[in-house]
Amino acid sequence: MTSIMNNEFSSEDMYKLKQLVVSISSAKSFSSTSLITILVPPDTQISRLTRMLNEELATAESIKQRVNRQQVVDALKTISHRVKSMRTIPTRGIVIYCGTVDDDGKSQKVNYFFEPPRPVPIFIYRCDNKFHTEAIIQMFEEQDNYGFIVIDGHSTVYGLLSGNEM
């Protein structure tokens, strides 16, 4: 299990995190759709996340394939247990990848919980045969920064536009 949660990233930390995300993106489950991806924005309440996990756990109990059902239930229980130990969501949100990965004919359970380099904009929950890393990989791309100043007769407004964030 890997856990990277802190406020500031050094360039070495960013490099390691990017390599981790790239390796996660190549993970596959050939036998089932048991790889869970969850992106949680910083303004999400722990109680909402816990409630969603409990609902998904109840839904997962009705999966017909025994192996797939067990893998999804195990992953959801792992995530739920970890989320219950958290007091709040970190300042940039949290990224969770959990499931059973097929690698060279062997199945291996993996868990990744980390704070991303930029704030998570929207809540995403996916249960698939691959981890969805597209949104996180975009966070590592260089973004142009633009400053702007708006002046009228009564006030002044200024701001900084960085990628899609203001």
Side-chain angles (χ1 to χ4, degrees):
M1 174 168 40
T2 300
S3 178
I4 302 173
M5 289 193 207
N6 60 14
N7 286 335
E8 295 301 321
F9 288 97
S10 68
S11 59
E12 181 181 349
D13 291 338
M14 286 288 282
Y15 175 78
K16 287 179 181 178
L17 187 57
K18 185 176 183 179
Q19 295 306 312
L20 174 67
V21 172
V22 168
S23 72
I24 290 170
S25 70
S26 65
K28 300 273 188 253
S29 176
F30 299 112
S31 59
S32 64
T33 57
S34 62
L35 302 182
I36 298 175
T37 301
I38 304 177
L39 305 181
V40 183
D43 59 348
T44 303
Q45 295 178 356
I46 295 287
S47 60
R48 177 180 177 248
L49 182 57
T50 302
R51 186 173 48 251
M52 186 275 310
L53 289 169
N54 289 335
E55 289 169 3
E56 288 299 324
L57 189 58
T59 303
E61 295 289 349
S62 65
I63 296 173
K64 290 183 174 138
Q65 290 183 328
R66 184 188 58 80
V67 172
N68 190 25
R69 178 180 57 243
Q70 190 59 45
Q71 290 174 349
V72 172
V73 167
D74 286 348
L76 286 168
K77 285 181 179 179
T78 299
I79 294 167
S80 183
H81 179 70
R82 180 68 186 267
V83 166
K84 285 178 184 175
S85 70
M86 298 172 61
R87 292 185 186 271
T88 60
I89 301 294
T91 57
R92 289 185 293 269
I94 188 167
V95 178
I96 303 169
Y97 296 109
C98 188
T100 304
V101 174
D102 294 329
D103 188 25
D104 294 331
K106 292 188 264 181
S107 294
Q108 178 182 6
K109 188 170 179 182
V110 296
N111 313 314
Y112 299 101
F113 297 77
F114 59 88
E115 186 175 351
R118 294 197 178 106
V120 174
I122 60 171
F123 185 89
I124 295 175
Y125 170 83
R126 299 280 185 273
C127 189
D128 204 347
N129 66 343
K130 67 175 187 162
F131 290 123
H132 292 268
T133 59
E134 303 83 13
I136 304 304
I137 289 175
Q138 286 179 347
M139 292 182 182
F140 292 102
E141 295 174 1
E142 288 294 322
Q143 296 184 345
D144 294 330
N145 294 323
Y146 298 97
F148 61 91
I149 301 173
V150 178
I151 303 172
D152 68 3
H154 303 288
S155 63
T156 304
V157 177
Y158 58 91
L160 178 68
L161 178 64
S162 177
N164 294 333
E165 299 174 19
M166 188 171 350

